[in-house]
Amino acid sequence: MARDSRGDEPGGCLAIFFLLLLVGLVILAVVWFVSFVGHVLELTPTYPETSPTVAATDPPRSSPRPPTRSSPRSSPCATRVRELRRELERRG
């Protein structure tokens, strides 16, 4: 009798499918965990600045960006802006 060319172990293709599925689920779990930790620590995503050509074609925003979860009052720039506003109020 002729031997089957698929090999001795049946279900090899099914095993590869389940292995790939398992690897995908592990990657999904890692991404979910990193996202969860980012939300717990209240980290906000950072986006690269757009190039001038893209910014010129975008329609102007009617309102500023909504505030993020982290307090903007704690940033060094916000502190400096408040100091400058106070100084201008004293002068003017």
Side-chain angles (χ1 to χ4, degrees):
M1 285 195 143
R3 193 166 178 147
D4 193 2
S5 64
R6 289 185 293 177
D8 293 331
E9 200 166 317
C13 186
L14 186 61
I16 290 174
F17 172 76
F18 281 121
L19 178 68
L20 290 175
L21 183 66
L22 181 67
V23 168
L25 289 175
V26 167
I27 290 172
L28 180 65
V30 169
V31 168
W32 177 83
F33 180 75
V34 169
S35 175
F36 176 75
V37 169
H39 284 289
V40 168
L41 297 176
E42 295 183 356
L43 300 174
T44 57
T46 56
Y47 300 99
E49 294 198 19
T50 58
S51 66
T53 56
V54 173
T57 59
D58 288 346
R61 293 186 178 167
S62 59
S63 63
R65 288 185 179 172
T68 59
R69 290 184 120 192
S70 62
S71 174
R73 296 174 189 227
S74 61
S75 72
C77 289
T79 304
R80 181 68 180 140
V81 167
R82 281 195 311 272
E83 290 172 357
L84 290 173
R85 283 184 182 163
R86 287 182 195 139
E87 187 178 327
L88 284 174
E89 288 173 0
R90 277 187 246 142
R91 290 183 184 180

